[in-house]
Amino acid sequence: MDPLSTLWETFFDIDSMREALPEMLTVGLPNTLILAVSAALLGSLLGMLLAIAGISRTRWLRWPARVYTDIFRGLPAAATILLIGVGLAPLGMQVWGPNPYPLGILALSLIAAAYIGEIFRSGIQSVEAAQLEGARALGFSWGEAMRLVIVPQGVRRVLPAWVNQLIALIKDSSLVYFLGLLASQRELFRIGQDYAANTGNQSALLLAGLFYLALTVPLTHAVNWIDRRLRQGRAVTAHPDDDGGPAPAGETALPQQRPTREDQR
């Protein structure tokens, strides 16, 4: 057969996509969002704690943070998910029953925290030391200066890198199928894989990939737009009474004063 015809029939079968679409919308997409959003929130929180511990002057905080980061960044994501999901399965059965989602979310969160912690740490350390010194001179404690001055600036500087990690987390959520999922617990990739195995056609897997694109591409452009607005600041408008000088939007520019005779002298 012609290679192009084989490729088209194997991955672009509209009937196979149409058959898998309802289940992907009602089952796969919600489960993928539950896994990704939950792991992103927990991973970002743990990552911020790791970032603060990583820049601490106390070695009993700094060393464990470094060891944690090295381990969970070095292990393959599949190995971590199996280690947490299978190793803690007896405990999970006692607490919440045969639902692999909590352990899957925990594993994804631990993986994400190692990367997000390094992203936040680099952003915090990029803030000039004078910012902290100025905050302390104004009477802020170290914790208040970090929480109100340094951390917000650091997070804003690494916003694109943070979102890139969230995009990777959305795709890594497909690895939870290693833990064994019920029909109602399958995420996008698992549904596509099941349809491909049952029909012998890979179009459902391609459809799952299109769903991942639909989730990640708008997120990328949205964060780029936010980052650009934060860097450029507010738009400025000229006040009618001003001689062309711009005034910040929502504020009134002071009219330009004419020079007096004393000024002319």
Side-chain angles (χ1 to χ4, degrees):
M1 295 180 63
D2 182 27
L4 292 180
S5 299
T6 303
L7 178 66
W8 183 265
E9 294 176 1
T10 303
F11 289 97
F12 297 92
D13 187 354
I14 303 301
D15 292 334
S16 297
M17 291 185 179
R18 187 181 297 113
E19 182 181 357
L21 181 60
E23 194 167 6
M24 286 193 176
L25 285 173
T26 58
V27 178
L29 182 60
N31 287 333
T32 296
L33 291 177
I34 289 173
L35 288 169
V37 173
S38 301
L41 294 176
L42 184 56
S44 297
L45 178 60
L46 294 176
M48 180 58 68
L49 296 178
L50 286 172
I52 299 299
I55 62 176
S56 174
R57 295 181 179 179
T58 304
R59 61 181 180 179
W60 302 113
L61 292 177
R62 188 174 64 254
W63 288 359
R66 296 304 308 166
V67 171
Y68 175 96
T69 301
D70 291 341
I71 291 176
F72 282 95
R73 285 202 307 174
L75 284 174
T80 302
I81 291 174
L82 287 173
L83 180 66
I84 301 297
V86 177
L88 299 181
L91 177 62
M93 289 290 294
Q94 297 177 3
V95 177
W96 50 69
N99 186 358
Y101 268 28
L103 291 178
I105 291 172
L106 176 61
L108 291 173
S109 302
L110 294 177
I111 297 169
Y115 292 93
I116 294 175
E118 286 297 284
I119 292 172
F120 285 163
R121 183 178 66 84
S122 64
I124 293 172
Q125 289 184 324
S126 70
V127 179
E128 296 76 7
Q131 297 281 339
L132 180 60
E133 296 172 359
R136 295 299 302 273
L138 292 175
F140 288 91
S141 66
W142 186 87
E144 291 174 339
M146 291 295 295
R147 186 178 71 255
L148 301 176
V149 179
I150 304 301
V151 171
Q153 294 186 65
V155 171
R156 187 178 68 176
R157 294 183 180 187
V158 297
L159 188 60
W162 176 66
V163 174
N164 286 337
Q165 186 56 42
L166 298 186
I167 291 174
L169 186 61
I170 292 175
K171 294 184 291 183
D172 285 345
S173 65
S174 62
L175 299 176
V176 176
Y177 84 91
F178 287 146
L179 304 182
L181 302 175
L182 300 177
S184 60
Q185 298 170 341
R186 294 177 300 168
E187 35 70 43
L188 288 170
F189 181 79
R190 184 59 181 177
I191 291 177
Q193 191 178 46
D194 288 345
Y195 273 94
N198 293 333
T199 63
N201 190 283
Q202 308 299 317
S203 299
L205 277 175
L206 178 62
L207 180 61
L210 295 177
F211 270 96
Y212 284 111
L213 282 177
L215 292 173
T216 57
V217 172
L219 183 61
T220 302
H221 288 286
V223 75
N224 289 338
W225 179 82
I226 294 173
D227 181 65
R228 186 166 57 250
R229 290 296 301 271
L230 290 175
R231 293 179 183 275
Q232 293 177 351
R234 297 184 303 171
V236 294
T237 57
H239 192 273
D241 295 335
D242 197 3
D243 293 337
E251 298 183 6
T252 302
L254 294 176
Q256 185 176 2
Q257 296 182 354
R258 298 182 179 276
T260 62
R261 291 185 178 180
E262 295 294 332
D263 297 331
Q264 294 176 353
R265 292 178 183 177

